Amino acid sequence: MQVEQISYGSLKRRRMKGYQIIGKSPGVDATVSSEFCKWAPSHNSLEVASDAAAQDAWGLSFFPLSDYFYAVARSVHGGPEYSGRGGLAVVTNALVMSRKQLVAYEFHAVDTARTALALGNLILQMDRDETLPTVTLTGRPLSLQPPTSDFTDSKPALLPGHAVNWIARETVSLLRDNRKVMIVGKCDPLPILTLMLDQLSPTERSETSFACGLKPSSRRDFRVQFTQDPMAPKLQKELDRSGIAPIDVARVLVETK
């Protein structure tokens, strides 16, 4: 299966400076590129845990680009920001998949991302070629063990299994009540997202945009988001004002012992 791709980050070019499309494959048109720019994160958008290095931070997101195309995107830190703002630039690499292609993956964006990574895609690209090749994916997702922490299970799980299961079930229930959801507190998003998507039908998955590892932003209207920050009165008020249902990880741990 040949899949289009696109990348976005901070770059200094003769005709434009700042966050912009770095490169794309030939099948990605201007309309899709423009829509992608509305969702892609920019400077200082990645969450970095207090006990982790900035270079290890990553984000995963899934969102529509049109009635026919969707993005499965992974964001990481690249090199130093050239503009003098300090810190590291955020680089987002994404698969641009048609509805027909995602049907083959049953619209399971986490399985899609994990398959792509296992095949050497969705990684930081050091070149700055404006024309990218298409990506070759298997016709169906690879058979991989469910994640317990991150993409490579490189660290111990932050939550016990019963809490992961509870959060996933509650998220599905809220989505079916037509609510947007913010999962608040320290957790491993991938296991929760995997179980959430496992419980949704392919049609429901196609309608469930999500992001993890990215700082919440009103500009990016995801249906499911994560924040590693603890629940606080100010955050609670912001979520209430935005009509977003919170799931407080700390409270879940207390109430599901």
Side-chain angles (χ1 to χ4, degrees), residues 198-234:
D198 286 348
Q199 295 172 50
L200 295 172
S201 69
T203 298
E204 289 172 322
R205 294 171 192 162
S206 72
E207 299 168 349
T208 304
S209 59
F210 66 78
C212 64
L214 305 182
K215 295 179 182 179
S217 169
S218 58
R219 183 174 67 87
R220 299 186 291 272
D221 191 25
F222 294 105
R223 291 197 66 199
V224 177
Q225 297 184 73
F226 290 74
T227 177
Q228 298 291 321
D229 291 337
M231 181 63 76
K234 180 180 178 181

Side-chain angles (χ1 to χ4, degrees), residues 1 97-108 139 141 202:
M1 180 190 298
M97 301 183 70
S98 69
R99 176 175 287 273
K100 182 178 180 181
Q101 289 173 328
L102 275 168
V103 165
Y105 279 67
E106 296 185 322
F107 273 94
H108 200 300

Side-chain angles (χ1 to χ4, degrees), residues 54-69:
Q55 291 87 342
D56 296 330
W58 56 269
L60 179 69
S61 53
F62 169 72
F63 47 90
L65 296 170
S66 68
D67 290 338
Y68 188 67
F69 287 107

